[in-house]
Amino acid sequence: MAQKEEAAAAAAVAEPASQNGEDLENLEDPEKLKELIELPPFEIVTGERLPAHYFKFQFRNVEYSSGRNKTFLCYVVEAQNKGGQVQASRGYLEDEHAAAHAEEAFFNSIMPTFDPALRYLVTWYVSSSPCAACADRIVKTLNKTKNLRLLILVGRLFMWEEPEVQAALRKLKEAGCRLRIMKPQDFEFIWQNFVEQEEGESKAFEPWEDIQENFLYYEEKLADILK
Ligand SMILES: [Zn+2]
């Protein structure tokens, strides 16, 4: 899976406009490779709701995530004051061109707005689990931010066969981060709360054929890694 992820990531970077993952052949094209090198530095896209076709492609919990090089991160921030009042906000982040990651973007652009006097419960719904570097950043952030609790729900496990990634996921757990694989209901929650709903379009979430099976597949892998 690691090799497939990497090849897929390179292919999708070569053709950033593509959302369907069918541009693997572009890797053979020298012009495309040149474009790849000349791409601008990464940009973070933020918004309240993501387009439906992004969701349908990027969040699908396939076993082999061909073409899915981006990380989409939907977040819910619940801030509680001493009186117990809770205020919630939400949005999503996506990373582009793989030079920095959506998890980092959350720490750089959302967390600085946090009030140290409040307590925060943050929930992330991420298309795939963090890479080792992001997991490390999460651990460091949790260790120094005592008013933060983090729950991460992921659609897929990213490069889970790599010992380095497995160790990073275990460190996350030790740091108090709760990590779960998204259930079909969680995908439905994202659909309802984070995906643009066009006028006249059905709002009902349509689960894909293997959604439950893939959830169970990844859940078993994660349990093995964390035990
Ligand atoms: Zn990362």
Side-chain angles (χ1 to χ4, degrees), residues 101 103 130-134:
H101 293 173
E103 295 92 334
C131 66
C134 284

Side-chain angles (χ1 to χ4, degrees), residues 16-17 30 33 41 82 91 97 109 113 124 129-130 140 154 160 165 183:
L33 279 175
K82 287 213 172 73
H97 312 324
S109 63
T113 66
W124 287 353
S129 59
K140 288 195 171 110
V154 301
W160 59 269
V165 170
K183 298 182 167 95

